[in-house]
Amino acid sequence: MNERATILTVDDLVSVSSFGLSSLAGGDGLTREVLWAHSCELRSPEQWLGPHELLMTVGHCVPHDDEGQKDLIAHLDRAGLAGIVIGDHETAPEVSDAMKTEADTRGFPLLLAASRIPFAVIARHVAAASSSDRVQQVLTLSKVYQIATSAADGATLVEELATLLNVGLSVVDCLTGLDVLTSRGAADSTVSRRERRFPLSGDHRAELLVREHPNEPIDGFLLIHLRKVLETAADRVTVTADHRTELSERAYRDLRSVTDPSEVTPLLQGHTPDRGYRILAFPETERRKIGRAAAVLDLPVLLGSEELLAFMYVPVAEIDRVRSMAEDFGLPMGASSTFEDVRDLRPAAHEAQRALETLRFSGQLWAEFDSRPVSVLARSEREMAAIVDSVLGELGDPSPSSTKLRTTLFAYLRNDRKWQETAFELGIHRQSLSYRLQRIQAVLGLSLSSSADIASLWIAYQAWEASGR
């Protein structure tokens, strides 16, 4: 036995001659600690056993091909198992050289058990040797549930559990990728720790990230209960976030029909409309994710939707935080100008929609509404010049590239936006015309499918012609 009587190693089991165990490979790992020995014949046994546990099998869970056997050793080692015992039984496949080489490379004990030895004998021996450890384990488990029932909130719960188990803990919401629960030490990069990830099977998809000291992993017994406790806590946080999103959507609908916003100010954390707000537009398919993320990040915003677009009411003071969140998600957003009267919600939403439309051609993620008032009739040379400059921008420059795009745009407008006629007039292929039109939209920040933008461009074209440029 190991000189530390409370710690049983793989080598201790091999040294018991009555067990008939022999080492096939992975001899460098014979000093691995064994806390439990368990028989398993299911595929992917690493899902059912945990750190420092010895897998015993008659071969049903061992693949027959070389690559599969090699992968099995790799999966068991990554899961922190103590080793694998394969019974000398007719059901067991032949152990390949690839499997032995992988075990040697990883220092993962690969043992052969004599056919006359029942696995239960080995399991009872391990249980007896580690009984004191089991007592400590049960006490720790009791403390886990004591914390779970007494913690005031999710933040306190995860912090106290992390302290008890001497690990960093984070629960990541799979919809948003955000931490809904995290301990202070979870992101501590000054300490060398191993990271392990486990799916949580609550009502909402989430993942548990455990950062452990390399030689102090949480064993499988405690890990099962830890996951259950955190599944419940994570569901509670997510349900609260989704409920807040529902309240914000109801408040947004109310704002469109009432003039007194006092009922929704708690959600806005004191940011009343008269202090300035903007409306953001983004794809409706992202509304659920953005709503949950905004609630998790405690952003004082309201959400709404209309057909294929979602809208967000954002106090001016919070615009930078919301923009940062959107960019982290790679989400395109169009922003209205600033309004101070709640009755302007609809025109603000229209501005945001217009701004979002320009992003289809720019390749960017954020667009501000650019108001360009254009007179139907210009009364002077100065007004015509102002119209051309404000609408065409750099397309009014005399450079060859600007001239080519401007000529293409004017031909497109003259031909009532008919591709065939425009391409024929310019003497170019339709693909070349398509490329130029995309470049025009990107440079101008306008959409050639928008009636309002086409109207502005047509008037600018008329002003260009009338000014004799």
Side-chain angles (χ1 to χ4, degrees), residues 157-174:
L157 169 68
V158 74
E159 194 63 49
E160 292 187 1
L161 288 175
T163 301
L164 172 68
L165 302 173
N166 192 29
V167 296
L169 296 174
S170 292
V171 177
V172 181
D173 171 51
C174 292

PDB file of all heavy atoms in Angstrom, residues 157-174:
ATOM      1  N   LEU A 157     -24.609  32.406  -4.117  1.00  0.00           N
ATOM      2  CA  LEU A 157     -24.533  30.950  -4.246  1.00  0.00           C
ATOM      3  C   LEU A 157     -23.259  30.517  -4.958  1.00  0.00           C
ATOM      4  O   LEU A 157     -22.498  29.681  -4.444  1.00  0.00           O
ATOM      5  CB  LEU A 157     -25.757  30.444  -5.016  1.00  0.00           C
ATOM      6  CG  LEU A 157     -25.713  28.973  -5.461  1.00  0.00           C
ATOM      7  CD1 LEU A 157     -25.791  28.059  -4.247  1.00  0.00           C
ATOM      8  CD2 LEU A 157     -26.836  28.664  -6.443  1.00  0.00           C
ATOM      9  N   VAL A 158     -23.005  31.057  -6.147  1.00  0.00           N
ATOM     10  CA  VAL A 158     -21.862  30.597  -6.934  1.00  0.00           C
ATOM     11  C   VAL A 158     -20.546  30.987  -6.252  1.00  0.00           C
ATOM     12  O   VAL A 158     -19.557  30.251  -6.320  1.00  0.00           O
ATOM     13  CB  VAL A 158     -21.958  31.152  -8.369  1.00  0.00           C
ATOM     14  CG1 VAL A 158     -21.617  32.633  -8.423  1.00  0.00           C
ATOM     15  CG2 VAL A 158     -21.058  30.377  -9.318  1.00  0.00           C
ATOM     16  N   GLU A 159     -20.528  32.123  -5.566  1.00  0.00           N
ATOM     17  CA  GLU A 159     -19.308  32.547  -4.882  1.00  0.00           C
ATOM     18  C   GLU A 159     -18.988  31.621  -3.710  1.00  0.00           C
ATOM     19  O   GLU A 159     -17.839  31.215  -3.511  1.00  0.00           O
ATOM     20  CB  GLU A 159     -19.462  33.989  -4.385  1.00  0.00           C
ATOM     21  CG  GLU A 159     -18.161  34.634  -3.964  1.00  0.00           C
ATOM     22  CD  GLU A 159     -17.180  34.755  -5.122  1.00  0.00           C
ATOM     23  OE1 GLU A 159     -17.567  35.231  -6.193  1.00  0.00           O
ATOM     24  OE2 GLU A 159     -16.016  34.341  -4.939  1.00  0.00           O
ATOM     25  N   GLU A 160     -19.998  31.260  -2.935  1.00  0.00           N
ATOM     26  CA  GLU A 160     -19.774  30.391  -1.775  1.00  0.00           C
ATOM     27  C   GLU A 160     -19.422  28.969  -2.208  1.00  0.00           C
ATOM     28  O   GLU A 160     -18.592  28.304  -1.568  1.00  0.00           O
ATOM     29  CB  GLU A 160     -21.002  30.395  -0.869  1.00  0.00           C
ATOM     30  CG  GLU A 160     -21.222  31.739  -0.176  1.00  0.00           C
ATOM     31  CD  GLU A 160     -22.338  31.693   0.840  1.00  0.00           C
ATOM     32  OE1 GLU A 160     -22.935  30.607   1.034  1.00  0.00           O
ATOM     33  OE2 GLU A 160     -22.622  32.737   1.461  1.00  0.00           O
ATOM     34  N   LEU A 161     -20.035  28.479  -3.285  1.00  0.00           N
ATOM     35  CA  LEU A 161     -19.699  27.154  -3.790  1.00  0.00           C
ATOM     36  C   LEU A 161     -18.262  27.121  -4.314  1.00  0.00           C
ATOM     37  O   LEU A 161     -17.519  26.155  -4.084  1.00  0.00           O
ATOM     38  CB  LEU A 161     -20.664  26.749  -4.913  1.00  0.00           C
ATOM     39  CG  LEU A 161     -22.088  26.406  -4.488  1.00  0.00           C
ATOM     40  CD1 LEU A 161     -22.960  26.143  -5.717  1.00  0.00           C
ATOM     41  CD2 LEU A 161     -22.111  25.199  -3.548  1.00  0.00           C
ATOM     42  N   ALA A 162     -17.856  28.182  -5.004  1.00  0.00           N
ATOM     43  CA  ALA A 162     -16.488  28.246  -5.523  1.00  0.00           C
ATOM     44  C   ALA A 162     -15.478  28.255  -4.387  1.00  0.00           C
ATOM     45  O   ALA A 162     -14.428  27.603  -4.463  1.00  0.00           O
ATOM     46  CB  ALA A 162     -16.324  29.497  -6.391  1.00  0.00           C
ATOM     47  N   THR A 163     -15.791  28.976  -3.316  1.00  0.00           N
ATOM     48  CA  THR A 163     -14.890  29.024  -2.161  1.00  0.00           C
ATOM     49  C   THR A 163     -14.808  27.667  -1.483  1.00  0.00           C
ATOM     50  O   THR A 163     -13.721  27.193  -1.111  1.00  0.00           O
ATOM     51  CB  THR A 163     -15.386  30.085  -1.160  1.00  0.00           C
ATOM     52  OG1 THR A 163     -15.423  31.361  -1.805  1.00  0.00           O
ATOM     53  CG2 THR A 163     -14.472  30.159   0.049  1.00  0.00           C
ATOM     54  N   LEU A 164     -15.955  27.013  -1.309  1.00  0.00           N
ATOM     55  CA  LEU A 164     -15.992  25.688  -0.668  1.00  0.00           C
ATOM     56  C   LEU A 164     -15.155  24.668  -1.428  1.00  0.00           C
ATOM     57  O   LEU A 164     -14.381  23.902  -0.838  1.00  0.00           O
ATOM     58  CB  LEU A 164     -17.445  25.207  -0.569  1.00  0.00           C
ATOM     59  CG  LEU A 164     -17.654  23.757  -0.093  1.00  0.00           C
ATOM     60  CD1 LEU A 164     -17.246  23.624   1.370  1.00  0.00           C
ATOM     61  CD2 LEU A 164     -19.099  23.324  -0.311  1.00  0.00           C
ATOM     62  N   LEU A 165     -15.290  24.662  -2.761  1.00  0.00           N
ATOM     63  CA  LEU A 165     -14.642  23.644  -3.586  1.00  0.00           C
ATOM     64  C   LEU A 165     -13.271  24.080  -4.112  1.00  0.00           C
ATOM     65  O   LEU A 165     -12.602  23.316  -4.802  1.00  0.00           O
ATOM     66  CB  LEU A 165     -15.553  23.281  -4.755  1.00  0.00           C
ATOM     67  CG  LEU A 165     -16.945  22.752  -4.358  1.00  0.00           C
ATOM     68  CD1 LEU A 165     -17.819  22.580  -5.587  1.00  0.00           C
ATOM     69  CD2 LEU A 165     -16.828  21.447  -3.588  1.00  0.00           C
ATOM     70  N   ASN A 166     -12.888  25.313  -3.805  1.00  0.00           N
ATOM     71  CA  ASN A 166     -11.583  25.857  -4.226  1.00  0.00           C
ATOM     72  C   ASN A 166     -11.425  25.821  -5.747  1.00  0.00           C
ATOM     73  O   ASN A 166     -10.424  25.361  -6.285  1.00  0.00           O
ATOM     74  CB  ASN A 166     -10.439  25.096  -3.556  1.00  0.00           C
ATOM     75  CG  ASN A 166      -9.095  25.794  -3.737  1.00  0.00           C
ATOM     76  OD1 ASN A 166      -9.052  27.014  -3.864  1.00  0.00           O
ATOM     77  ND2 ASN A 166      -8.014  25.038  -3.762  1.00  0.00           N
ATOM     78  N   VAL A 167     -12.456  26.311  -6.447  1.00  0.00           N
ATOM     79  CA  VAL A 167     -12.448  26.342  -7.908  1.00  0.00           C
ATOM     80  C   VAL A 167     -13.022  27.676  -8.376  1.00  0.00           C
ATOM     81  O   VAL A 167     -13.578  28.439  -7.587  1.00  0.00           O
ATOM     82  CB  VAL A 167     -13.285  25.192  -8.521  1.00  0.00           C
ATOM     83  CG1 VAL A 167     -12.686  23.846  -8.180  1.00  0.00           C
ATOM     84  CG2 VAL A 167     -14.742  25.279  -8.037  1.00  0.00           C
ATOM     85  N   GLY A 168     -12.886  27.949  -9.650  1.00  0.00           N
ATOM     86  CA  GLY A 168     -13.599  29.048 -10.279  1.00  0.00           C
ATOM     87  C   GLY A 168     -14.812  28.488 -10.989  1.00  0.00           C
ATOM     88  O   GLY A 168     -14.728  27.441 -11.643  1.00  0.00           O
ATOM     89  N   LEU A 169     -15.953  29.147 -10.866  1.00  0.00           N
ATOM     90  CA  LEU A 169     -17.196  28.647 -11.456  1.00  0.00           C
ATOM     91  C   LEU A 169     -17.858  29.734 -12.309  1.00  0.00           C
ATOM     92  O   LEU A 169     -17.939  30.890 -11.898  1.00  0.00           O
ATOM     93  CB  LEU A 169     -18.185  28.214 -10.365  1.00  0.00           C
ATOM     94  CG  LEU A 169     -17.791  27.038  -9.477  1.00  0.00           C
ATOM     95  CD1 LEU A 169     -18.828  26.851  -8.360  1.00  0.00           C
ATOM     96  CD2 LEU A 169     -17.660  25.759 -10.292  1.00  0.00           C
ATOM     97  N   SER A 170     -18.316  29.331 -13.487  1.00  0.00           N
ATOM     98  CA  SER A 170     -19.107  30.220 -14.338  1.00  0.00           C
ATOM     99  C   SER A 170     -20.204  29.400 -14.998  1.00  0.00           C
ATOM    100  O   SER A 170     -19.961  28.262 -15.407  1.00  0.00           O
ATOM    101  CB  SER A 170     -18.254  30.876 -15.429  1.00  0.00           C
ATOM    102  OG  SER A 170     -17.323  31.780 -14.885  1.00  0.00           O
ATOM    103  N   VAL A 171     -21.390  29.979 -15.084  1.00  0.00           N
ATOM    104  CA  VAL A 171     -22.483  29.371 -15.844  1.00  0.00           C
ATOM    105  C   VAL A 171     -22.771  30.280 -17.031  1.00  0.00           C
ATOM    106  O   VAL A 171     -23.081  31.460 -16.859  1.00  0.00           O
ATOM    107  CB  VAL A 171     -23.745  29.190 -14.991  1.00  0.00           C
ATOM    108  CG1 VAL A 171     -24.879  28.635 -15.841  1.00  0.00           C
ATOM    109  CG2 VAL A 171     -23.466  28.263 -13.813  1.00  0.00           C
ATOM    110  N   VAL A 172     -22.638  29.735 -18.231  1.00  0.00           N
ATOM    111  CA  VAL A 172     -22.786  30.507 -19.463  1.00  0.00           C
ATOM    112  C   VAL A 172     -24.124  30.178 -20.117  1.00  0.00           C
ATOM    113  O   VAL A 172     -24.441  29.001 -20.338  1.00  0.00           O
ATOM    114  CB  VAL A 172     -21.636  30.198 -20.450  1.00  0.00           C
ATOM    115  CG1 VAL A 172     -21.786  31.022 -21.713  1.00  0.00           C
ATOM    116  CG2 VAL A 172     -20.292  30.462 -19.794  1.00  0.00           C
ATOM    117  N   ASP A 173     -24.909  31.208 -20.390  1.00  0.00           N
ATOM    118  CA  ASP A 173     -26.169  31.034 -21.114  1.00  0.00           C
ATOM    119  C   ASP A 173     -25.863  30.771 -22.584  1.00  0.00           C
ATOM    120  O   ASP A 173     -25.174  31.563 -23.236  1.00  0.00           O
ATOM    121  CB  ASP A 173     -27.025  32.292 -20.965  1.00  0.00           C
ATOM    122  CG  ASP A 173     -28.244  32.262 -21.864  1.00  0.00           C
ATOM    123  OD1 ASP A 173     -28.962  31.260 -21.830  1.00  0.00           O
ATOM    124  OD2 ASP A 173     -28.457  33.243 -22.608  1.00  0.00           O
ATOM    125  N   CYS A 174     -26.347  29.657 -23.124  1.00  0.00           N
ATOM    126  CA  CYS A 174     -25.997  29.274 -24.498  1.00  0.00           C
ATOM    127  C   CYS A 174     -26.647  30.179 -25.543  1.00  0.00           C
ATOM    128  O   CYS A 174     -26.124  30.301 -26.647  1.00  0.00           O
ATOM    129  CB  CYS A 174     -26.385  27.811 -24.750  1.00  0.00           C
ATOM    130  SG  CYS A 174     -25.392  26.627 -23.807  1.00  0.00           S
TER     131      CYS A 174
END
